[in-house]
């Protein structure tokens, strides 16, 4: 017969209110999700008993159809809530190869008159504040640990441990004080920072934990020889359902950083651990309790500790200056607005992102990073505006923001990247955009977005080989960012690598499914001469894009009447004016009509349509690379001559394919 659960379990400064489903530590309530609390109660109410992993899954989840990674995450949350170190646990101990057991410390007799009751619900805002540690500027593990007692039965382990230590058996965890020795320098230094769990109990604080995660990514990227996966890829594993080994395999990294963030009132509590993806062992772990105003110093401390565990040294680039996205005056309200602006930017709400970055710059006018992000948000909003007058107003705002950012911080890579975006999208200043992106990449070599922008600018100017190189460098840090794979596919198409391009398109679609079939596959089919496949892809697009894509695809088919009819449909102004005239230029290029091709490129130019950026690496348009009419147009818009482009034309790609078949 199972023993009834106690109403509460109390030890040290911890109270587990079983009946009320609450956990208190140091007088402050620790928010826990229901499953995590259920695991805690299961283990704490049977101290000393070893629970197998499957037994825990059966008891709490009611089945075993949950990946082990879920239980790993729950145990991490519990350790953070209990304020203990996974390397030297006081309560929640791992029994390797089996599961977990909970150990209660020896409790001294309660002094007369001392209260052992849990804090009453009417205590002053227990959910809104975290009781500061006795020494708020110290990590919780800095406190002197309680005396350890070793049973006589464990003495026989000492000789064995000595042998294992001499042999250097790395499966045994080490104390955080020697974390720098935990990973041999010869091992690959690659890491992904998973989004830290928002343990505040307030969904509105998600931006805060995400911001700290992103700051860790940025800071760790500045350490020499350390490959750090970017935000877009690592944040795909927010739900924690995958095992560390599986995540490591998908991201191509040897280590993961995970943990939780709790902000309440004037205190921030962060628990973080470094895990090996090879075997799931914890290499290093730490818990921090700091005043909210010390957040920036805390972020740096965490990054340095992780880098030390990986034996990585800060990158020293000659002439480089510190790249920082923090407000120079240290205003936390400005920083919060900046982080919230980034969160809205990433989900595509550019208007809200603009509003929040404007708030950040109003609070702290010298906030160069916020001005740079404000500029980029204005540029993207302008690109998606159908009305050219509204777009130009957006670009004007972006220009002002960029000027302020560069005046405040001339050596901020982010600001140069913002100007590169503006010059490319708004001004069609091809050379200037390349120069700005190069400057930004030199100042902030870890910033993948700047490299992505440089790749776009290089491709637009016909420098295909370096564009591919820069895109591949970005891909190595953002392997699961769908947009990266679609843009890479265009470069592969332009180099005639059609099979690789198709693979990249399909993988991007797998990462970010879109209705129908990816339209990029139409270009692969056209260059393979497969009229049926090209028209099938075109037919499965949404109107009005369907009509324009059909007009392009039909031009390689044997039915000339059908090709003429498809083009006539696309030429109706109510269709092409809602999309882009560039597709009609492509249709005429496939028909071999240079005059009409250039005419529709002129229309594209008159609308400030950024599809024109594709011209010098578009195999369809480049069939006229030796035609003076196309050369004249390129000179007019400031592009290099089409003969200088390193991309292949459709005729060259087809000729190469036919030669390969012989």
């Amino acid at each position: 017969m199972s023993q009834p659960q106690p109403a509460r379990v109390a030890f040290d400064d911890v109270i587990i209110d079983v009946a009320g489903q609450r956990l208190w530590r140091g007088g402050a309530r620790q928010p826990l999700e229901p499953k995590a609390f259920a695991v805690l109660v299961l283990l704490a109410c049977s101290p000393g008993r070893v629970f197998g992993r499957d037994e825990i899954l059966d008891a709490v989840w009611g089945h075993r159809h949950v990946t082990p990674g879920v239980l790993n995450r729950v145990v991490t949350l519990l350790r953070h809530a209990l304020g203990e170190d996974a390397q030297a646990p006081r309560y929640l101990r791992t029994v390797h190869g089996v599961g977990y057991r909970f150990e209660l410390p020896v409790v001294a007799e309660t002094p007369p008159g001392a209260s052992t009751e849990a804090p009453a619900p009417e205590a002053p805002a227990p959910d809104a504040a975290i009781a500061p540690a006795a020494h708020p500027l110290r990590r919780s593990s800095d406190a002197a640990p309680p005396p350890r007692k070793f049973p006589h039965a464990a003495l026989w382990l000492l000789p064995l441990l000595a042998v294992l230590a001499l042999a250097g058996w790395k499966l045994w965890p080490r104390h955080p004080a020697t974390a720098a020795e935990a990973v041999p320098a010869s091992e690959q230094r690659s890491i992904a920072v998973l989004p830290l769990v928002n343990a505040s109990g307030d969904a509105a604080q998600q931006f805060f934990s995400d911001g700290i995660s992103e700051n860790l990514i940025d800071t760790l990227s500045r350490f020499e020889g350390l490959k750090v996966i970017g935000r877009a890829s690592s944040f795909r594993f927010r739900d924690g359902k995958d095992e560390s080994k599986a995540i490591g395999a998908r991201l191509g990294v040897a280590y993961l950083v995970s943990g939780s963030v709790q902000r309440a009132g004037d205190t921030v509590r962060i628990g973080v651990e470094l895990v090996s993806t090879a075997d799931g062992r914890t290499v290093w772990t730490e818990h921090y309790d700091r005043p909210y105003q010390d957040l920036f110093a805390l972020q740096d401390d965490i990054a340095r500790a992780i880098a030390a565990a990986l034996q990585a040294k800060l990158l020293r680039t000659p002439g480089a200056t510190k790249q920082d996205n923090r407000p120079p005056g240290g205003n936390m309200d400005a920083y919060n607005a900046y982080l919230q602006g980034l969160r809205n930017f990433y989900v595509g709400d550019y208007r809200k992102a603009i509003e929040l970055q404007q708030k950040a710059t109003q609070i702290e006018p010298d906030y160069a990073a916020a001005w740079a992000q404000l500029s980029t948000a204005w540029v993207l909003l302008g690109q998606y505006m159908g009305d050219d007058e509204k777009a130009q107003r957006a670009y004007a705002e972006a220009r002002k923001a960029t000027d302020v950012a560069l005046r405040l911080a001339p050596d901020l890579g982010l600001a140069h990247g913002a100007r590169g975006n503006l010059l490319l999208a708004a001004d069609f200043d091809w050379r200037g955009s390349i120069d700005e992106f190069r400057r930004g990449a030199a100042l902030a070599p870890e910033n993948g977005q700047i490299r992505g922008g440089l790749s776009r600018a290089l491709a637009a100017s016909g420098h295909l080989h370096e564009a591919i190189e820069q895109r591949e460098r970005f891909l190595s840090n953002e392997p699961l960012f769908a947009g990266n794979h679609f843009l890479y596919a265009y470069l592969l198409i332009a180099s005639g690598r059609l099979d690789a391009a198709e693979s990249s398109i399909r993988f991007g679609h797998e990462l970010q499914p879109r209705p129908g079939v990816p339209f990029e596959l139409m270009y692969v089919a056209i260059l393979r001469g497969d009229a049926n496949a090209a028209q099938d892809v075109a037919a499965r697009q949404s109107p009005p894009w369907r009509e324009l894509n059909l007009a392009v695809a039909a031009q390689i088919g044997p039915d000339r009447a059908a090709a003429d009819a498809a083009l006539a449909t696309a030429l109706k102004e109510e269709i092409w004016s809602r999309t882009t005239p560039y597709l009609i230029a492509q249709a005429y290029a496939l028909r071999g009509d240079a005059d009409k091709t250039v005419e529709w490129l002129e229309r594209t130019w008159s609308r400030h349509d950024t599809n024109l950026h594709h011209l010098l690496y578009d195999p369809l348009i480049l069939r006229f690379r030796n035609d003076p009419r196309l050369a004249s147009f390129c000179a007019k818009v400031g592009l290099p001559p089409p003969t200088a482009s390193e991309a292949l034309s459709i005729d060259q790609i087809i000729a190469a394919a036919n030669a390969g078949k012989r």
Side-chain angles (χ1 to χ4, degrees):
M1 179 180 296
S2 61
Q3 296 294 321
Q5 289 182 340
R8 62 179 175 79
V9 178
F11 50 92
D12 294 341
D13 64 344
V14 177
I15 299 174
I16 304 173
D17 181 4
V18 178
Q21 294 191 327
R22 296 174 299 177
L23 172 67
W24 302 83
R25 178 165 68 87
R29 184 174 174 183
Q30 308 297 310
L32 279 178
E33 57 190 56
K35 294 296 186 186
F37 190 84
V39 172
L40 176 63
V41 169
L42 176 71
L43 299 175
C45 289
S46 298
R49 177 185 165 188
V50 177
F51 284 84
R53 298 175 67 88
D54 287 342
E55 186 178 3
I56 297 172
L57 294 176
D58 284 339
V60 175
W61 280 269
H63 53 75
R64 299 181 187 179
H65 305 301
V66 180
T67 63
V70 175
L71 183 55
N72 292 342
R73 184 180 68 88
V74 165
V75 169
T76 298
L77 290 175
L78 289 178
R79 285 196 167 119
H80 293 165
L82 292 168
E84 70 170 15
D85 180 358
Q87 300 293 348
R90 299 174 60 190
Y91 315 120
L92 185 52
R93 295 182 179 272
T94 300
V95 181
H96 292 286
V98 182
Y100 303 93
R101 76 171 183 271
F102 201 91
E103 292 189 0
L104 290 180
V106 177
V107 181
E109 184 178 349
T110 304
S115 172
T116 60
E117 292 299 315
E122 54 268 26
D127 288 321
I130 302 173
H135 301 283
L137 295 181
R138 293 173 57 186
R139 300 190 296 267
S140 57
S141 63
D142 288 339
R148 303 286 177 111
K149 295 182 179 180
F150 294 93
H152 293 293
L155 293 178
W156 68 272
L157 283 172
L158 295 178
L160 174 60
L161 289 174
V163 172
L164 293 177
L166 289 173
W169 191 23
K170 294 190 296 180
L171 288 178
W172 286 91
R174 302 193 183 198
H175 191 277
T178 59
E181 302 170 13
V183 183
S186 59
E187 290 189 17
Q188 180 189 14
R189 296 191 184 98
S190 54
I191 191 170
V193 179
L194 304 184
L196 300 180
V197 174
N198 171 25
S200 67
D202 180 5
Q205 290 296 315
Q206 186 66 54
F207 78 91
F208 185 70
S209 56
D210 284 356
I212 292 177
S213 307
E214 186 166 2
N215 180 272
L216 275 177
I217 292 171
D218 290 344
T219 307
L220 288 170
S221 298
R222 297 168 196 156
F223 284 85
E224 187 175 8
L226 188 60
K227 174 186 174 183
V228 184
I229 297 300
R231 180 191 194 279
S233 298
S234 62
F235 273 42
R236 294 182 68 87
F237 299 95
R238 181 186 295 280
D239 56 15
K241 292 181 180 178
D242 298 88
E243 290 183 321
S244 56
K245 188 172 184 178
I247 297 175
R250 289 210 70 189
L251 294 176
V253 295
Y255 301 95
L256 299 176
V257 174
S258 62
S260 64
V261 177
Q262 184 182 357
R263 175 196 167 193
D266 295 329
T267 307
V268 177
R269 174 169 291 157
I270 299 179
V272 63
E273 66 178 1
L274 181 67
V275 175
S276 166
T277 61
D279 51 20
R281 66 187 171 92
T282 300
V283 174
W284 169 87
T285 185
E286 190 58 274
H287 304 274
Y288 301 83
D289 290 314
R290 296 283 182 88
Y292 178 46
Q293 292 299 325
D294 290 346
L295 177 65
F296 298 148
L298 172 56
Q299 290 172 331
D300 291 340
D301 285 350
I302 295 173
R304 281 194 294 266
I306 295 171
L310 296 174
Q311 300 180 2
K313 297 180 180 179
L314 192 62
L315 184 64
R316 302 293 183 187
T317 303
T321 56
K322 184 178 180 181
Q323 303 296 304
D324 207 340
N325 66 352
R326 302 166 183 172
N331 188 290
M332 298 306 296
D333 290 336
Y335 188 58
N336 273 331
Y338 176 84
L339 293 181
Q340 292 183 69
L342 283 184
R343 181 169 173 80
N344 283 277
F345 179 86
Y346 289 133
V347 299
D349 190 347
Y350 302 127
R351 292 186 185 278
K352 187 65 176 178
I354 288 168
E355 175 188 327
L356 288 161
Q357 298 299 356
Q358 286 175 331
K359 179 181 177 181
T361 59
Q362 288 164 1
I363 296 171
E364 191 152 333
D366 292 342
Y367 199 167
W371 284 107
Q373 291 290 356
L374 177 60
S375 171
T376 301
W378 273 119
V379 168
L380 288 175
L381 183 63
Q383 281 188 268
Y384 290 106
M385 285 180 166
D387 186 303
D388 186 55
E389 184 178 343
K390 291 180 180 178
Q392 292 306 314
R393 286 202 294 269
Y395 294 147
E397 292 294 331
R399 203 176 313 280
K400 288 190 291 186
T402 303
D403 290 344
V404 174
L406 286 170
R407 175 176 56 78
L408 293 171
D411 292 328
L412 183 65
L414 194 65
H416 287 278
R419 173 163 282 179
N421 273 321
L422 176 66
L423 293 176
L424 187 61
D427 299 342
F428 291 78
D429 182 350
W430 323 97
R431 184 68 257 170
S433 67
I434 291 175
D435 291 343
E436 287 295 329
F437 281 127
R438 284 199 194 283
R439 177 65 174 152
L443 290 166
E446 75 284 349
N447 190 305
Q449 285 77 13
I450 295 177
R451 292 203 178 277
L454 177 57
S455 176
R456 286 187 288 110
L458 288 165
S461 295
H463 303 298
L464 184 64
H465 302 323
E466 190 183 354
I468 291 174
E469 176 190 339
Q470 293 294 335
R471 180 62 58 186
E472 287 175 343
R473 290 183 67 175
F474 190 14
L475 274 167
S476 71
N477 292 101
E478 282 286 17
L480 301 184
F481 174 33
N484 237 345
H485 291 276
F486 290 121
L487 292 170
Y488 185 46
Y490 279 116
L491 303 179
L492 295 174
I493 287 171
S495 63
R497 296 154 62 186
L498 302 183
D499 291 345
E502 181 177 354
S503 295
S504 189
I505 292 166
R506 294 193 184 280
F507 186 58
H509 185 64
E510 177 186 324
L511 293 172
Q512 184 179 316
R514 300 183 301 203
V517 178
F519 69 88
E520 294 89 349
L521 291 174
M522 180 184 76
Y523 294 101
V524 175
I526 287 172
L527 293 169
R528 285 175 174 159
D530 190 339
N532 291 334
Q535 291 185 58
D536 178 65
V537 172
R540 295 167 70 178
Q541 305 305 308
S542 300
W545 293 99
R546 177 193 299 135
E547 287 73 22
L548 269 77
N549 279 280
L550 282 170
V552 175
Q555 304 311 312
I556 67 167
D559 189 339
R560 300 320 301 158
D564 293 344
L567 182 57
T569 299
L571 287 171
K572 295 177 180 177
E573 186 171 356
E574 66 271 17
I575 293 177
W576 70 261
S577 64
R578 290 165 56 198
T579 53
T580 172
Y582 187 82
L583 286 174
I584 295 180
Q586 288 182 317
Y588 276 116
L590 284 173
R591 292 170 74 92
D593 190 331
D595 281 330
K596 287 292 186 180
T597 298
V598 173
E599 177 187 330
W600 283 89
L601 289 176
E602 290 279 6
R603 290 179 185 243
T604 307
W605 170 248
S606 68
R607 294 177 59 178
H608 296 93
D609 187 340
T610 54
N611 279 285
L612 197 66
H613 296 170
H614 295 284
L615 190 158
L616 285 187
Y617 65 109
D618 184 340
L620 309 190
I621 303 296
L622 285 178
R623 75 180 319 163
F624 301 121
R625 71 189 319 148
N626 295 311
D627 192 297
R629 288 164 288 189
L630 183 61
S632 177
F633 174 78
C634 287
K636 174 183 175 180
V637 301
L639 281 170
T643 52
S645 173
E646 297 167 353
L648 302 178
S649 70
I650 181 174
D651 304 304
Q652 291 173 305
I653 293 173
I654 292 175
N658 291 334
K661 293 176 182 178
R662 291 198 292 267

